[in-house]
Every structure is written in structure tokens, then in C-alpha cells.
């Protein structure tokens, strides 16, 4: 079966011989990006709607030719996508900036999964001409990098779209004294009972011009006349410099005025402008005022089943997220809780699920697959014109790329044709098309590892227990622990996956990197599991673990962190590595205290 599965494939006796004639025609009656493929004793004929349809039809033909029995079996394939735009967003600002080789590897996977748009999410990791003090230690993407990547994307039928945040998530700029006064709250703010550094630009004309300059510098390197200005999570809006204005006009009106000013020059020049739609969820009255050419992107990264499990547990996890302003009831309803208002308003929009790999080490595969499928279902029901799969890197992006390969394959498939691909055999697709593993083991390893965190039976939002225990957070502490039985089963899974990975035989050029980075992720997960076990027995955080156990864990930690550094450099540039590694310091300090060292 070719990948992605086509919406219609039938077979008949008698295939096309090796020297059969091959004809290609354009059929404008076919849906956009669609194709019709026929093979048999009389030859091969491919009809396509456009250049994209030709590309996808030839890809399907190549896969059929590679399979057994092509010369004995005739194929009739009719196919076209559910979503016109199928995008992938890779976070390159949470410390990991990928090498060119890694970016090229991602393009191979994206092309296979029929994504036709790529966005690299940047905050401070582009080499802005006038902001060297922001990116100096980040190994940023350069203008040459973007020109190279834009050409690579164009050759594969993928649009490279600039994605530069412009409102919230501006911490790296606002940390500098010369930009301090741009902040809504220059001295920071409190969220979830924790004081945080300033992250939101004040909604002023000067900041509009500042943010526009950042976007223009990135977008000006690319050929696609589409841009994503972010503008999500302006947590401090209305609590500092804009307090009086928000009191008079309302937070929604102030937000829209600022974001509209950011969009205006791009829209006036004929560009399409994407932006995150989270603020609109609480202000549906703003939909009628959105300017033409703007496209809100509706994001949600926890599946309805995950949210329902957190609500059913009725524990501190639900209470703490509610305290942070999260609408768990809406999460439990899925994307439809937000997409229907766009359909009712007649407003164009996209859906954006996630790979679920961030804050996980190994992935949250069950959550991710349900989340991606839910996004496709809601998007189709309510008329979304695009589907943007996101791969974030929260808190230092400890995860290597390989755990995201499975979610990316699934997300590409369900955004191409949900009906044919919702029950995709993911391990088989990974082995056959992504990892080229003749043993059939590596795909199963990634699949089993991706489910391990959720198998522990501790429902969490936006994270796996394996990372929560390694990254103590006063706002979201570990309060519930897995049972001994669940932890024993997880330990057995890790050991089985370690053995299977050693026996796998990956023929892809990055096969050795995949084996090494996944093997290390298994080791780090085993350490996290043992720390969870120790904390469960102690009945408290890491500094309550008994001294002997804490000492043993400390002796294991340094070699793991040394390998974390080595695996990072297999795929990523050195800038950002120290910031990412520093996030392990908190658990180290707690263990040192417990060990009495």
C-alpha cells in the first residue's frame, strides 16, 4: 500500500510490463493537487490537475513500482487532498537550531508525508542585522541559510514561510537593557504563583514598527508571499503599560488594534498573514473585524481524551491548569469547541495540532495521534483551509528529532486524506519509508517508546511524567506518582526497546544518529523512571529521596548529561546547548541536597 494511503485504490489482474508506454495528461476537472493513475498491460497513464498533482501521482507510481507484483497487478488510484495547505512548524527558538543536514532530513520526511508548507518558528534565532546581542550565543539561522532552505523547499513543492513572533514570547529581546522599556511589564509578572521575566511587548506604535522590522528581515529572504506573525499568549497585556487603555477599551479591542497594525503593511502589499487564534477564543466578537487576507490559526495540543482524563482525576493537575487560565472543558471537547465559531462567522481559519513530543523525552504518541485526528475532523467539518502540524521545543527541547518522525508521518497522512489514513500502521510506514529498516524493529521501537509516558497512568497536560520529574516546576509540580506495577511495566518496555534497537538495521543516511539518540533517550527515560520510583517511595520531591538512592542517581546523571551533549551536536548547532543543559541543574541540586553531598 502506498503512503499516504490514497482515498481510492483498486486492483485488477495484469500489471504493466517494464517497457510499457507511459502517458501523462493534464485534467483540469480533477480537484486541485489531485491525480488519477491507471496501470495495466496496456501501460501506465497519469492524469493530474496541476504541478502538485503530477508530483504526488509520480510519487505514488514510484512506490507501487517498488512493491512486489507490479507487473502482475493493475492499479487504479484516484486521489486528492482534504486540506489545500498542509504545513509543518518546527520550533528553532527553544535552544535547538538545526544544522543544514538536519533541515534537509526534515524535508525528506515532509515531502514523503505530502506537506506543502514549512515554517521555522523564530524568536531570537535569526541573525538580525541590528540585534547581534540577542542572537550572539544562539548559532542563529542566517540569510544564506534561508536562501538555501528556500531553494531546497521549492524543489520539493514546499513553500517556506517566515514565522516570527511579534507580541508575546519576546523574552530574549526584553531581557536586554536596551529593550527593557518595550515590555508591558519591564520588571516581569506573576503567573501561576511564579514570578516570570517580561515576555510581552507593550501595544505601542513604536513596538509595531520594531516587530515589523523583525518580520521583514526574515520574510524578505523568501519567495512565498505568506507570513506568520505569531502574536500568541500576550500574558501580561492589560496589566502594565496598557492597563488604563485596556480598562477603557477592553483587552480584545486593544489586542486586535495592535495585531491589525502589525498585519496592515503586509496585507496592503498583497500578502497572506497567519496569526495564532488563542486570544480570539475569548473574544468571538472580534471575528467580524478581522481584516481580509488574515488567517487565524486555531491551536490545541492536548487531545480530548487527555483532557477528559485530567478532569476525571480531579486532582492538582486540573486545578493548577485552571489556575493558569486553561479552559479544560473546551480542551475536553476538542477542536470543535473553537472551530465552530469561525464557521459561523464565515471566517477563513486553519487548525494546528501538535506532535506531542516536547516535554516528553520519547513523545506522547497516543495523545498526538488523537489530537491530529481531532484537528482533521473538526477542520473538515467546519471548513478549515489549512492544517499546520506543530513541533515545539518547550524548556530546552531535550528531545531529539527521531521521536517526532512518527507523529509527522501520521499528521501528514490525516491532513492529506483522513478517511483513508486515520488508522495508519505507523511502525510499518516508519520502517518502510522513513527508517528503511529491513528488520522491522525500529518503527516498533519508536511506536512503543512514544506510548510509554502515557502508559504510566498519570494523566498530564502538555508533558510526560518523565520530563516533569526531571524539570521541577513550582507551577506544575509532580504530585501524583505511577503505581509500582506501571513503573515495572515501563522499565520492561525500555529494556525491550533497547535490545530491539540494537538489532535494528537502518539504511537511511542518518541511521546511526537515530540509533544513538534514541538509545540515549531510553537511558534518560530509565533514569527519570527510577527517580519517579524513588520519589513515590519517599512521598515527596527529589530532595526527600533517601541519601543512598540519591547518591546512586547522581552517579548516573553525569554520564547521561555528557551523552545528551554529544547527541545534541549530531543534529543541532552548538548555540543554545548550554541554556538547554542548564535546565537539568534544578534536579541535580535537589539530588545533591538529598544525598548530603
Amino acid at each position: 500500500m502506498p503512503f499516504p494511503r490514497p482515498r481510492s485504490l483498486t486492483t485488477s489482474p495484469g500489471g504493466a510490463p517494464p517497457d510499457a508506454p507511459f502517458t501523462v495528461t493534464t485534467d483540469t476537472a480533477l480537484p486541485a493537487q489531485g491525480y488519477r493513475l491507471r496501470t495495466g498491460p496496456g501501460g501506465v497513464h497519469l492524469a493530474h490537475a496541476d504541478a502538485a498533482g503530477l508530483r504526488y501521482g509520480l510519487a505514488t507510481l514510484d512506490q507501487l513500482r517498488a512493491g512486489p507484483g507490479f507487473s502482475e497487478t493493475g492499479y487504479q488510484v484516484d486521489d486528492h487532498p482534504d486540506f489545500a495547505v498542509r504545513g509543518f512548524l518546527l520550533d528553532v527558538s527553544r535552544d535547538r537550531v538545526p544544522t543544514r543536514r538536519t533541515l534537509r532530513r526534515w524535508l525528506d520526511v515532509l515531502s514523503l508525508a505530502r506537506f506543502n508548507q514549512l515554517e521555522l518558528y523564530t524568536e531570537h534565532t535569526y541573525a538580525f542585522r541590528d540585534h547581534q546581542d540577542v542572537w550572539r550565543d544562539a548559532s542563529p539561522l542566517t540569510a544564506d541559510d534561508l536562501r538555501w532552505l528556500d531553494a531546497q523547499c521549492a524543489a520539493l513543492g514546499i513553500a517556506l514561510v517566515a514565522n516570527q513572533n511579534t507580541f508575546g514570547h519576546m523574552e530574549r529581546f526584553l531581557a536586554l537593557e536596551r529593550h527593557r522599556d518595550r515590555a508591558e511589564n519591564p520588571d516581569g509578572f506573576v503567573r501561576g504563583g511564579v514570578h516570570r521575566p517580561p515576555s510581552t511587548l507593550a501595544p505601542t506604535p513604536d513596538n509595531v514598527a520594531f516587530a515589523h522590522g523583525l518580520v521583514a528581515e526574515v520574510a524578505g529572504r523568501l519567495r512565498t508571499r505568506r507570513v506568520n506573525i505569531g502574536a500568541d499568549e500576550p500574558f501580561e497585556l492589560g496589566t502594565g503599560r496598557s492597563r488604563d487603555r485596556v480598562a477603557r477599551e477592553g483587552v480584545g479591542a486593544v489586542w486586535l488594534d495592535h495585531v491589525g497594525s502589525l498585519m496592515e503593511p503586509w496585507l496592503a502589499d498583497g500578502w497572506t498573514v497567519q496569526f495564532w487564534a488563542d486570544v480570539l477564543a475569548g473574544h468571538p466578537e472580534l471575528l467580524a473585524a478581522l481584516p481580509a487576507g488574515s488567517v487565524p490559526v486555531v491551536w490545541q495540543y492536548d487531545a480530548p481524551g487527555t483532557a477528559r482524563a485530567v478532569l476525571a482525576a480531579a486532582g492538582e493537575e486540573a486545578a493548577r491548569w485552571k489556575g493558569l487560565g486553561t479552559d479544560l472543558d473546551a480542551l475536553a471537547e476538542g477542536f470543535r469547541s473553537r472551530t465552530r465559531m469561525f464557521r459561523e462567522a464565515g471566517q477563513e481559519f486553519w487548525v494546528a495540532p501538535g506532535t506531542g513530543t516536547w516535554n516528553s523525552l520519547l513523545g506522547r504518541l497516543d495523545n498526538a495521534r488523537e489530537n491530529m485526528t481531532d484537528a482533521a475532523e473538526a477542520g473538515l467539518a467546519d471548513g478549515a483551509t489549512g492544517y499546520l502540524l506543530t513541533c515545539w521545543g518547550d524548556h530546552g527541547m531535550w528531545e531529539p528529532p527521531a521521536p517526532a518522525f512518527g507523529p509527522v508521518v501520521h499528521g501528514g497522512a490525516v491532513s492529506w486524506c483522513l478517511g483513508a489514513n486515520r488508522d495508519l500502521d505507523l511502525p510499518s510506514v516508519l520502517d518502510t519509508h522513513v527508517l528503511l529498516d529491513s528488520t522491522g524493529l525500529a518503527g516498533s521501537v519508536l511506536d512503543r517508546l512514544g506510548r510509554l509516558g502515557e502508559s504510566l497512568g498519570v494523566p498530564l497536560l502538555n508533558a510526560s511524567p518523565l520530563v516533569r520529574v526531571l524539570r521541577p516546576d513550582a507551577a506544575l509540580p509532580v504530585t501524583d506518582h505511577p503505581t509500582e506495577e506501571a513503573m515495572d511495566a515501563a522499565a520492561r518496555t525500555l529494556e525491550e526497546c533497547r535490545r530491539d534497537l540494537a538489532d535494528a538495521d537502518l539504511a537511511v543516511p542518518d541511521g546511526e544518529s537515530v540509533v544513538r539518540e534514541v538509545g540515549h533517550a531510553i537511558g534518560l527515560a530509565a533514569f527519570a523512571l527510577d527517580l519517579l520510583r524513588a520519589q513515590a517511595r519517599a512521598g515527596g520531591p527529589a530532595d526527600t529521596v533517601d541519601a543512598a538512592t540519591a547518591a546512586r542517581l547522581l552517579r548516573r546523571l553525569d554520564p547521561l548529561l555528557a551523552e545528551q551533549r554529544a547527541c545534541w551536536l549530531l543534529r543541532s548547532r552548538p548555540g543554545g546547548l548550554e541554556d538547554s543543559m542548564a535546565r537539568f541543574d534544578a534536579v541535580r541540586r535537589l539530588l545533591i541536597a538529598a544525598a548530603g553531598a
Side-chain angles (χ1 to χ4, degrees), residues 214-297:
L214 300 180
V215 177
E217 196 167 345
V218 180
R221 310 295 180 184
L222 310 179
R223 67 191 73 190
T224 303
R225 292 176 64 81
R226 184 182 302 145
V227 67
N228 189 331
I229 63 167
D232 62 317
E233 298 186 326
F235 294 125
E236 300 112 292
L237 184 60
T239 66
R241 294 178 63 187
S242 67
R243 181 185 291 112
D244 292 344
R245 183 183 173 196
V246 165
R248 294 191 307 270
E249 303 174 25
V251 68
V254 173
W255 175 86
L256 181 59
D257 177 70
H258 185 71
V259 173
S261 296
L262 286 167
M263 290 191 283
E264 193 278 330
W266 300 99
L267 297 174
D269 198 29
W271 289 57
T272 298
V273 181
Q274 303 163 211
F275 64 94
W276 302 115
D278 47 300
V279 173
L280 293 175
H283 298 277
E285 73 279 2
L286 301 178
L287 289 176
L290 291 177
S294 64
V295 181
V297 182

Side-chain angles (χ1 to χ4, degrees), residues 290-315:
L290 291 177
S294 64
V295 181
V297 182
V298 182
W299 58 268
Q300 177 168 317
Y301 308 134
D302 284 296
T306 301
R308 287 194 294 267
V310 168
L311 283 169

Side-chain angles (χ1 to χ4, degrees), residues 448-505:
R448 284 176 283 158
L449 292 176
R451 301 174 192 278
L452 185 130
E454 292 157 304
S455 75
L456 291 170
V458 179
L460 301 177
L461 295 180
N462 203 42
S464 162
L466 299 173
V467 165
R468 282 276 188 90
V469 74
L470 293 178
R471 187 178 51 78
D473 184 344
L476 293 166
V478 175
T479 54
D480 297 318
H481 293 90
T483 65
E484 285 283 342
E485 293 78 10
M487 289 189 282
D488 288 343
R492 288 193 297 271
T493 297
L494 287 173
E495 186 54 37
E496 291 165 0
C497 287
R498 190 194 309 274
R499 290 197 301 267
D500 287 347
L501 186 64
D503 290 336
D505 184 17

Side-chain angles (χ1 to χ4, degrees), residues 40-336:
V44 176
H45 179 68
L46 175 61
H48 59 92
D50 46 32
L54 176 61
R55 178 185 300 277
Y56 302 137
L58 289 173
T60 297
L61 177 60
D62 286 344
Q63 290 182 18
L64 292 174
R65 286 189 188 278
F70 181 77
S71 60
E72 288 79 38
T73 304
Y75 294 94
Q76 301 85 46
V77 180
D78 294 273
D79 209 6
H80 63 269
D82 286 340
F83 295 92
V85 182
R86 303 169 302 283
F88 176 64
L89 177 153
L90 180 64
D91 186 347
V92 298
S93 279
R94 270 54 174 258
D95 301 333
R96 268 192 196 266
V97 180
T99 63
R100 285 194 181 189
R101 182 179 297 178
T102 301
L103 289 169
R104 178 62 230 195
R105 176 60 164 136
W106 272 120
L107 291 184
D108 291 339
V109 178
L110 299 180
S111 178
L112 167 74
R114 294 192 186 162
F115 287 94
N116 59 3
Q117 179 165 310
L118 170 63
E119 302 180 21
L120 300 181
Y121 170 80
T122 54
E123 294 171 3
H124 68 295
T125 51
Y126 178 76
F128 296 104
R129 182 182 57 253
D130 297 326
H131 301 287
Q132 185 174 352
D133 50 351
V134 176
W135 53 256
R136 180 184 295 115
D137 299 322
S139 298
L141 296 168
T142 66
D144 284 344
D145 288 329
L146 289 191
R147 280 190 287 264
W148 168 83
L149 183 60
D150 197 30
Q152 295 287 310
C153 286
L156 295 171
I158 297 172
L160 181 60
V161 170
N163 185 318
Q164 175 64 47
N165 222 332
T166 56
F167 202 176
H169 295 288
M170 298 297 286
E171 295 91 341
R172 297 281 187 158
F173 287 89
L174 299 178
L176 299 175
E177 185 61 30
R178 71 185 181 102
H179 292 306
R180 184 174 182 272
D181 288 341
R182 295 189 181 279
E184 173 76 5
N185 288 302
D187 295 324
F189 67 110
V190 175
R191 183 170 183 259
V194 177
H195 186 270
R196 303 172 189 272
S199 68
T200 300
L201 293 176
T204 66
D206 184 56
N207 279 340
V208 169
F210 169 72
H212 176 76
L214 300 180
V215 177
E217 196 167 345
V218 180
R221 310 295 180 184
L222 310 179
R223 67 191 73 190
T224 303
R225 292 176 64 81
R226 184 182 302 145
V227 67
N228 189 331
I229 63 167
D232 62 317
E233 298 186 326
F235 294 125
E236 300 112 292
L237 184 60
T239 66
R241 294 178 63 187
S242 67
R243 181 185 291 112
D244 292 344
R245 183 183 173 196
V246 165
R248 294 191 307 270
E249 303 174 25
V251 68
V254 173
W255 175 86
L256 181 59
D257 177 70
H258 185 71
V259 173
S261 296
L262 286 167
M263 290 191 283
E264 193 278 330
W266 300 99
L267 297 174
D269 198 29
W271 289 57
T272 298
V273 181
Q274 303 163 211
F275 64 94
W276 302 115
D278 47 300
V279 173
L280 293 175
H283 298 277
E285 73 279 2
L286 301 178
L287 289 176
L290 291 177
S294 64
V295 181
V297 182
V298 182
W299 58 268
Q300 177 168 317
Y301 308 134
D302 284 296
T306 301
R308 287 194 294 267
V310 168
L311 283 169
E316 292 190 30
E317 178 76 2
R320 290 182 182 276
W321 279 105
K322 288 179 180 178
L324 291 170
T326 304
D327 186 344
L328 293 185
D329 293 323
L331 286 181
E333 190 179 347
F335 271 89
R336 292 303 300 275

